[in-house]
Amino acid sequence: MNEPELIARYFAPLAGPEGLGLADDAALLTPPPGCDLVLTTDALVAGIHFFADDPPGAVAAKALGVNLSDLAAKGAEPLGFLLSLALPPGWTERFLADFCAGLDGAAQEGRIKLLGGDTVTTSGPLTLSITALGAVPHGGMVRRRGARLRDCLYVSGTIGDAALGLALRRAELEREQPPLWAADVDATELIDRYLRPRPRLALAPALRACASAAMDVSDGLIGDLRAMMKASGASAHVDLWEIPLSAPARAALAADPALLDLALTGGDDYEIICAVPPAQAERFEALAQVAGVAVARIGEVAAREVFRGADGSARRFERDRFSHV
Amino acid sequence: MNEPELIARYFAPLAGPEGLGLADDAALLTPPPGCDLVLTTDALVAGIHFFADDPPGAVAAKALGVNLSDLAAKGAEPLGFLLSLALPPGWTERFLADFCAGLDGAAQEGRIKLLGGDTVTTSGPLTLSITALGAVPHGGMVRRRGARLRDCLYVSGTIGDAALGLALRRAELEREQPPLWAADVDATELIDRYLRPRPRLALAPALRACASAAMDVSDGLIGDLRAMMKASGASAHVDLWEIPLSAPARAALAADPALLDLALTGGDDYEIICAVPPAQAERFEALAQVAGVAVARIGEVAAREVFRGADGSARRFERDRFSHV
């Protein structure tokens, strides 16, 4: 099967009308009038951002999901995406079929269509890059900077699940004993959070309406929060007990309290942190509820960084953020 | 140096205002009013699309150039691009500095700004993917399909230089004797054509004004022409002696006439083929001349494929196109 046949068989069914059936040399998109475009790119490499043995469909969904997560955090509605795929030696059509099925599922959930792409081979590991486009009403993109002193800090969903899930997944793949803390923990849910990001697209309208700044949590809550505060020329005062944890994450931390560091700096959460002026807080919470996305107020924008534990004492985080480079 | 520092030092200087200093999580682009967006993605992998020993600046310029070539062929004016870069083990800051200098040069020549990107590491070869955005007046994109019977077929610049240059470059890198045909040939010019595509952006207005169909020649003239004709439900009648060749390519073909196959199917030309209705031919040639781009009329759209040699006999091309997959 040559490249045009591969494209027609596996990728063209995912394309919207703007993709021109993936039969032209470019996609053609008429931007929605009165809107700005929001553009983001994320690359994933096997062995670095995912395990080579992860299910192909989950890898594809993750590659799209991490980009959708960026769009969501910027308050953008998805318009379309382009995919670059470098296939490693020994790739099979079965792999491609599973990959595209996962991509299709994630694209349908995210209401986003494939616009175009490029498929090549590599002597190295599977490598994907997705560029996603979204739209916001003109002037409406939520920036990383813009938070002001005393703005409320919110985080969506729960934090730390994916980092704990990654630890469990690694033990599983390397046929090691699961860590001691995993004894009474629902491993499936945590691993699923690692494998399948859930981009918080439903939160985009609430962010546009109320947030002074926002970003997605991809490299760990602590580091990403610091990055957002730094961009705004401020710091965060966080009450650590307010950080939302899932039931399995709470169980893991109860078994090994030292896991808090991993949970808060480990990355791959794909939740959203945002700053909301106090006067907008009630409205933001109401809009988030309407959107069906849980949000928790974890602190406020402050002049000096404080992470406060339940006993009132300050807690330091040495590791800043999870970095792939 | 961590990722944000790398970005600030090497990539941020290439970013336009829409890139927000590469300090946010996405780029923000207000599309020009009344325009459609044209979007294209191309990926390049060391060892497949270029040699790992090619100069980093040339690799970067090529990655951008192949995308700009697609925009040009669609009649689009460049708006911006996003870069995914997977750095191999042992990459150095010197590499990155050279890479970005080459990228900057190509971006300035193409009047296009960096909008955003992602830099990761890989255990495999250097891998790049660029997504480029361009704009055309609404409805003005030149499609791959749309050519009609008896439309004139044009090609820009010269064909085959890069394929011959690749053969010379390979011999050079593998410390082999240069091929016999290279004895009286200007190797530098051919190798330069392989290393440094010259996207024909200046031709975009002429294509918009006159072409019924167009695409860039990236995988070999014969195969790409067939692809364009197939999309239009037609075939090409080509007078082979009208295909424009550079002086060194003519010298090479004089020494070894069998090289014609390589020259016409070898790929990496990054010239443009287009179909132009006869009534528009004179205007197209005038607009191309104003743009400073040489174009040659090589034949016409026909019901049946014919590649005619100088002696009037038909010539067959078995190898259809250069394919990386």
Side-chain angles (χ1 to χ4, degrees), chain A residues 83-167:
Chain A
L83 166 72
S84 269
L85 181 61
L87 294 165
W91 67 274
T92 61
E93 275 200 52
R94 177 60 193 262
F95 168 87
L96 211 54
D98 291 349
F99 181 91
C100 286
L103 190 61
D104 193 27
Q108 289 196 26
E109 255 180 66
R111 297 189 188 183
I112 192 166
K113 292 281 189 179
L114 182 63
L115 294 174
D118 194 14
T119 305
V120 297
T121 54
T122 177
S123 60
L126 176 66
T127 304
L128 309 84
S129 173
I130 285 182
T131 298
L133 282 82
V136 289
H138 181 58
M141 183 176 118
V142 184
R143 300 287 307 268
R144 185 191 281 199
R145 72 183 192 202
R148 309 190 69 162
L149 282 181
R150 275 178 295 283
D151 280 358
C152 310
L153 291 171
Y154 284 91
V155 63
S156 67
T158 58
I159 292 294
D161 300 312
L164 297 168
L166 168 60

Side-chain angles (χ1 to χ4, degrees), chain B residues 28-124:
Chain B
L28 177 63
L29 185 72
T30 305
C35 282
D36 293 337
L37 296 171
V38 176
L39 303 110
T40 180
T41 291
D42 274 295
L44 276 72
V45 179
I48 299 205
H49 304 90
F50 60 90
F51 296 105
D53 288 336
D54 283 345
V59 171
K62 184 168 196 165
L64 182 56
V66 303
N67 280 283
L68 291 174
S69 180
D70 276 321
L71 291 187
K74 303 290 104 182
E77 306 296 332
L79 282 179
F81 72 101
L82 299 101
L83 165 72
S84 269
L85 182 60
L87 294 165
W91 68 274
T92 61
E93 274 200 53
R94 175 60 192 264
F95 168 87
L96 210 54
D98 291 348
F99 181 91
C100 285
L103 190 62
D104 193 26
Q108 289 196 26
E109 256 179 63
R111 297 190 188 182
I112 192 165
K113 292 280 191 181
L114 182 63
L115 294 174
D118 194 15
T119 304
V120 298
T121 54
T122 176
S123 60

